[in-house]
């Protein structure tokens, strides 16, 4: 994987998990537990999206999180 692709993937991951959390899980009441679970699930989804073509990675990442029960905030 080229350095540019790695940099783009890291930037996308940072944007998706940045300071203002864009995702919520309706079945997790505790904010701390939700944060921990998001770290685990987003790492899983980043690994999964790494196998997709570069242009499809953001969609694959979001689809993966959605399948794990996460909802994007408006």
């Amino acid at each position: 994987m080229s350095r540019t692709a790695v940099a783009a993937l890291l930037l996308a991951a940072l944007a998706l998990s940045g300071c203002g959390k864009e995702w919520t899980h309706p079945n997790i009441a505790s904010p701390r537990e939700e944060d921990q679970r998001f770290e685990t699930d987003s790492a899983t989804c980043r690994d999964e999206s790494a196998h997709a073509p570069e242009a499809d990675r953001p969609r694959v990442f979001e689809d993966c999180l959605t399948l794990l029960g996460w909802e994007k905030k408006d």
Side-chain angles (χ1 to χ4, degrees), residues 40-50 60-61 63-65 68:
T40 302
D41 288 352
S42 64
T44 298
C45 293
R46 273 193 303 275
D47 290 345
E48 184 175 317
S49 68
V60 171
F61 180 83
D63 289 351
C64 176
L65 283 177
L68 293 174

Side-chain angles (χ1 to χ4, degrees), residues 24 33 35 47 54 62 66 70-71:
T24 186
E33 183 182 343
D35 288 345
D47 290 345
E54 190 172 345
E62 289 186 6
T66 301
W70 292 92
E71 296 177 354

Side-chain angles (χ1 to χ4, degrees), residues 13-43:
L14 287 174
L16 290 171
S17 65
C19 297
K21 199 164 110 184
E22 294 184 32
W23 294 87
T24 186
H25 199 296
N27 298 325
I28 302 174
S30 165
R32 183 174 179 187
E33 183 182 343
E34 187 181 56
D35 288 345
Q36 291 172 338
R37 175 82 172 271
F38 184 78
E39 288 301 315
T40 302
D41 288 352
S42 64

